[in-house]
Amino acid sequence: MKILKSIFDNNREWADKISKEQPDFFDQLSKQQNPEYLWIGCSDSRVPANEIINLPPGEVFVHRNIANVVVHTDLNCLSVIQYAVEVLKVKHIIVCGHYDCGGVTAAMEKKQHGLIDNWLRHIRDVYRFHAKELDGIEDFEKRKDRLCELNVVEQVENICNTTIVKNAWQSNQLLSVHGWIFHLKDGLLQDLDVTTSSLP
Ligand code: CO
């Protein structure tokens, strides 16, 4: 008996469907990737990058972690950004958060969650930077939504401050960094209007 057979069945069905529609698709795909977008999003299973922007394999370079955080010293995320910017020469980096983010909710709670609290610390920092605004929002749900948005804005700032992006702009490479948020309730994306395309 094949382990997780249904998943392999799904995979075959998917590959067959694409091959039927575009017979040379996988042949082309195996030769190179040429994505224009780097997507940095949350690991949440409800926010699958390619699917929600309706783009096929080969179009989006993806990095996901809990609560779409870009930490200055995270070699994993920084390596993804470096490869995307310097080798793939993506034109857009998109930080996409989402409302009802479990990581953001956990960061707002007083109780401990174990190891992950050390990661969520970064979101607590975002809260601290914006405590005045956030503390002024009485409704917990609304405050949480706002922290989800502010978290994206802060991560855009962090990306813009990496040596990788600064160097790209210094050498006039075409590159924009965007902050978006995804509504789980209707599947729609919203631009948070913090797009940055050059050094300040
Ligand atoms: Co999330």
Side-chain angles (χ1 to χ4, degrees):
M1 197 180 76
K2 200 164 191 175
I3 298 166
L4 293 176
K5 184 177 177 298
S6 63
I7 304 264
F8 284 88
D9 290 345
N10 284 351
N11 167 247
R12 182 156 293 277
E13 211 173 287
W14 170 80
D16 286 348
K17 186 172 173 268
I18 292 182
S19 300
K20 218 171 272 170
E21 287 165 1
Q22 290 164 262
D24 64 342
F25 183 85
F26 289 110
D27 198 38
Q28 293 299 323
L29 195 66
S30 62
K31 284 181 190 141
Q32 60 159 353
Q33 63 164 337
N34 192 19
E36 272 193 30
Y37 313 100
L38 163 59
W39 174 280
I40 298 178
C42 184
S43 296
D44 193 305
S45 64
R46 300 166 296 176
V47 197
N50 284 70
E51 215 165 326
I52 63 177
I53 50 176
N54 206 11
L55 285 176
E59 304 282 331
V60 200
F61 201 60
V62 175
H63 178 80
R64 288 167 72 183
N65 61 38
I66 289 179
N68 40 270
V69 178
V70 177
V71 179
H72 301 303
T73 51
D74 177 4
L75 270 183
N76 184 353
C77 185
L78 292 177
S79 301
V80 169
I81 296 174
Q82 184 187 9
Y83 189 76
V85 171
E86 293 180 6
V87 181
L88 297 172
K89 303 246 186 284
V90 297
K91 293 188 177 72
H92 304 275
I93 301 177
I94 297 149
V95 180
C96 186
H98 67 103
Y99 293 115
D100 297 310
C101 181
V104 171
T105 307
M108 287 176 75
E109 290 168 350
K110 292 221 158 60
K111 64 174 184 199
Q112 263 216 32
H113 307 85
L115 173 77
I116 196 176
D117 283 326
N118 299 286
W119 182 254
L120 297 176
R121 197 67 247 169
H122 297 291
I123 300 166
R124 289 182 201 265
D125 287 343
V126 175
Y127 195 107
R128 191 159 44 85
F129 301 154
H130 300 274
K132 211 172 159 194
E133 179 190 342
L134 289 163
D135 286 341
I137 305 172
E138 258 179 56
D139 183 76
F140 180 75
E141 291 302 317
K142 286 199 180 116
R143 200 177 336 133
K144 213 169 67 178
D145 285 352
R146 185 61 184 143
L147 183 55
C148 288
E149 294 171 358
L150 289 169
N151 181 43
V152 171
V153 174
E154 286 296 329
Q155 307 319 320
V156 166
E157 178 83 19
N158 286 350
I159 293 174
C160 294
N161 279 316
T162 60
T163 51
I164 306 153
V165 170
K166 280 183 168 174
N167 289 344
W169 283 336
Q170 197 86 55
S171 56
N172 294 318
Q173 189 176 330
L174 221 68
L175 178 68
S176 296
V177 185
H178 312 266
W180 297 352
I181 194 149
F182 179 69
H183 293 252
L184 290 168
K185 285 180 180 140
D186 57 14
L188 296 178
L189 285 169
Q190 187 187 324
D191 190 339
L192 292 173
D193 286 325
V194 287
T195 297
T196 311
S197 307
S198 60
L199 289 167

